[in-house]
Amino acid sequence: MGSQYGSDHAGFGCAACCAEDALVAQAHHQSHNGVRVERMIQDDSHFIVSVQRCGLCSQAFASVFTEYVDWVASQDAQYRTVLPITDAEADDLMAGRLSPHRVGALGHGRRHLQSDWPSEADKPSVYWDSGVFEVREGY
Ligand SMILES: [Zn+2]
């Protein structure tokens, strides 16, 4: 452990948790032996942030889940961003030295697994995105 990753996203994760195919990666993240929650950082009903770790390669991830209650449609909009982070960043997040709202800034030069499920869609779209992203609390 203690290895330092560069800003190149190719240095993060393994063929399972950072699979080129976003749907393959998501399947691994959602499997019981895939990526597990290491620490809950924030656990509100509409804003859930956790540090997770791949069971195969020990790559740490910051997972940000946001839900927006749709008072008109019956289905709420859900968005999830899973960003690979270094062990040092995971430690900072778990120790409270790094605010969950600052996680988006870590996205610079990295890929993140994005799952968008707007209330009008019947299934989520899953894809790799890259760069800084906005962390917003849902409602
Ligand atoms: Zn992995």
Side-chain angles (χ1 to χ4, degrees), residues 13-18 28 35 54-59 61:
C14 64
C17 64
C18 289
H28 177 68
V35 178
C54 177
L56 295 177
C57 70
S58 298
Q59 172 66 52
F61 293 89

Side-chain angles (χ1 to χ4, degrees), residues 68-114:
Y68 297 94
V69 173
D70 189 325
W71 300 105
V72 180
S74 56
Q75 185 177 281
D76 300 336
Q78 298 181 346
Y79 300 90
R80 186 185 300 273
T81 305
V82 181
L83 175 76
I85 56 176
T86 66
D87 286 343
E89 289 162 354
D91 286 345
D92 284 349
L93 199 50
M94 291 190 284
R97 292 188 294 267
L98 174 66
S99 162
H101 294 90
R102 296 283 302 148
V103 167
L106 300 178
H108 180 72
R110 295 181 200 170
R111 294 193 309 170
H112 54 265
L113 190 60
Q114 184 68 35

